[in-house]
């Protein structure tokens, strides 16, 4: 027998924990949702979908279907642009209000890393091709890359001084100068 599974996104107020709303997704949600300044909830699905939901009611605002499964958590820019990586080897930027595609950038491998956005609007994301990409948040143009020795599935983090930290399947954590994209230091983790 084949058992049916349901994949839901739910909202519960912290005071009571009672169900406020739920939304049925088309597949597993393996990433964290992101919440815009207007309360819109952005959720990616492993079955080729990102959905924008009204944070108060759970009503669907829009759906965008990229060319592959999505396990990357969305990141939201100061202008409301929604960025996420996809297993179709691309990074996408969508208009947060309409879901219209602003740009896409093709990397050399699957993108499961969640993007990080610098104070200068640069979007940083890792790829299975072993590189960390720095992309212009407005245009999607590549500003620079940094090659590690293995797949980059971890999500970059940006320090207060602008240093970019990212793990790699090469067994290292890399600290990069975000502006020139040069290595600051590498720490071997042993795995």
């Amino acid at each position: 027998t084949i058992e049916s599974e349901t994949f839901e996104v739910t909202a519960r107020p912290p005071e009571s924990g009672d169900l406020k709303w739920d939304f049925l997704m088309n597949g597993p949600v393996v990433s964290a949702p992101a919440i815009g300044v207007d309360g819109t909830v952005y959720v990616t699905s492993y079955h080729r979908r990102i959905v924008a939901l009204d944070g108060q009611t759970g009503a669907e605002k829009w759906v965008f279907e990229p060319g592959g499964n999505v396990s990357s958590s969305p990141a939201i820019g100061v202008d409301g642009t929604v960025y996420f990586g996809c297993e179709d080897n691309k990074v996408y930027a969508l208009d947060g209000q309409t879901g219209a595609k602003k740009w896409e950038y093709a990397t050399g491998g699957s993108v499961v890393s969640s993007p990080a956005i610098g104070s200068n609007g640069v979007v940083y994301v890792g790829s299975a091709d072993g590189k960390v990409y720095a992309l212009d948040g407005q245009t999607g143009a590549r500003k620079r890359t940094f090659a590690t020795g293995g797949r980059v599935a971890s999500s970059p983090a940006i320090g207060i001084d602008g240093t970019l930290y990212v793990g790699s399947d090469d067994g290292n954590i890399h600290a990069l100068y975000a502006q020139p994209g040069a290595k600051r230091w590498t720490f071997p983790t042993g795995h």
Side-chain angles (χ1 to χ4, degrees), residues 84-161:
F84 67 96
C86 185
E87 292 186 18
D88 65 358
N89 301 357
K90 295 178 183 172
V91 179
Y92 289 89
L94 307 179
D95 182 297
Q97 292 298 310
T98 66
K101 182 171 63 173
K102 289 185 166 187
W103 54 259
E104 64 183 50
Y105 180 85
T107 72
S110 178
V111 182
V112 298
S113 169
S114 300
I117 305 168
S119 60
N120 55 0
V122 175
V123 176
Y124 300 94
V125 67
S127 173
D129 65 3
K131 295 178 183 171
V132 177
Y133 289 82
L135 306 173
D136 183 297
Q138 292 298 310
T139 66
R142 186 181 75 196
K143 296 179 90 50
R144 59 198 154 274
T145 59
F146 175 79
T148 71
R151 180 176 76 114
V152 180
S154 76
S155 302
I158 303 170
I160 195 163
D161 65 352

Side-chain angles (χ1 to χ4, degrees), residues 5-9 24-32 43-50 69-72:
E5 290 188 63
T6 59
F7 305 102
E8 293 180 311
V9 175
L24 186 64
M25 294 292 287
N26 70 328
V29 176
V30 296
S31 64
V43 184
T44 61
S45 163
Y46 196 69
H47 284 261
R48 301 175 182 231
R49 185 172 281 191
I50 180 170
N69 295 330
V70 184
S71 54
S72 168

Side-chain angles (χ1 to χ4, degrees), residues 13-91:
E15 310 82 47
S16 67
D18 295 334
L19 181 67
K20 182 175 180 179
W21 55 257
D22 63 346
F23 182 84
L24 186 64
M25 294 292 287
N26 70 328
V29 176
V30 296
S31 64
I35 302 172
V37 294
D38 66 352
T40 300
V41 179
Y42 302 95
V43 184
T44 61
S45 163
Y46 196 69
H47 284 261
R48 301 175 182 231
R49 185 172 281 191
I50 180 170
V51 179
L53 305 173
D54 182 292
Q56 291 299 312
T57 66
E60 181 182 294
K61 288 184 162 186
W62 54 258
V63 174
F64 179 82
E65 296 180 349
N69 295 330
V70 184
S71 54
S72 168
S73 296
I76 304 170
V78 294
D79 65 352
T81 300
V82 178
Y83 304 96
F84 67 96
C86 185
E87 292 186 18
D88 65 358
N89 301 357
K90 295 178 183 172
V91 179

